[in-house]
Amino acid sequence: QVQLVESGGGLVQAGGSLRLSCAASGTIFRINTMAWYRQAPGKQRELVANITSGGSTNYADFVKGRSTISRDNAKNTVYLQMNSLKPEDTAVYYCNADVHTLSMRFYGMDYWGKGTLVTVSS
């Protein structure tokens, strides 16, 4: 019904920047909060940042001041601009969205992308 596809990951040197994108498609009626999570090897998945449909944002302490989340509601797309990357930012980054579909307009469901790998070399 709904697919989330991330892009923009890759290998970057410490101090560099990357911009991740996540496009949602399918039978979408409305998307509420969209978010980025990450999971490093051997660690639990953790929230990086989220953004409501109205544009309110929330960031994890480890990315505050270094990253910016934004979205284009017309394109059902969320972005994560990451600057001053550190080796400890190496992880698979996952897109998440609370989506109301055309068949379930009053009930939102969580959808996840398959992830995009970000590797930061020292």
Side-chain angles (χ1 to χ4, degrees):
Q1 284 185 325
V2 176
Q3 299 81 38
L4 302 181
V5 179
E6 302 100 333
S7 61
L11 175 63
V12 64
Q13 289 188 331
S17 298
L18 280 176
R19 187 190 193 214
L20 306 183
S21 300
C22 170
S25 62
T27 55
I28 297 170
F29 175 64
R30 184 178 76 246
I31 302 178
N32 293 331
T33 299
M34 302 186 81
W36 287 97
Y37 285 75
R38 72 183 189 184
Q39 187 167 19
K43 296 188 177 181
Q44 289 189 331
R45 191 172 298 189
E46 58 186 354
L47 176 68
V48 177
N50 59 29
I51 183 168
T52 67
S53 57
S56 296
T57 59
N58 176 55
Y59 295 92
D61 286 343
F62 55 77
V63 295
K64 278 182 181 177
R66 301 191 295 125
S67 296
T68 302
I69 189 170
S70 60
R71 65 190 283 175
D72 184 333
N73 291 331
K75 296 181 178 180
N76 291 329
T77 299
V78 62
Y79 307 96
L80 183 68
Q81 175 68 44
M82 301 189 294
N83 302 319
S84 302
L85 283 162
K86 307 174 182 179
E88 51 264 43
D89 292 319
T90 295
V92 177
Y93 284 71
Y94 296 93
C95 177
N96 169 267
D98 175 23
V99 181
H100 292 234
T101 62
L102 293 176
S103 60
M104 297 181 70
R105 300 189 179 196
F106 302 104
Y107 183 73
M109 291 185 63
D110 253 7
Y111 290 88
W112 292 88
K114 294 183 177 180
T116 185
L117 177 62
V118 172
T119 303
V120 185
S121 63
S122 57

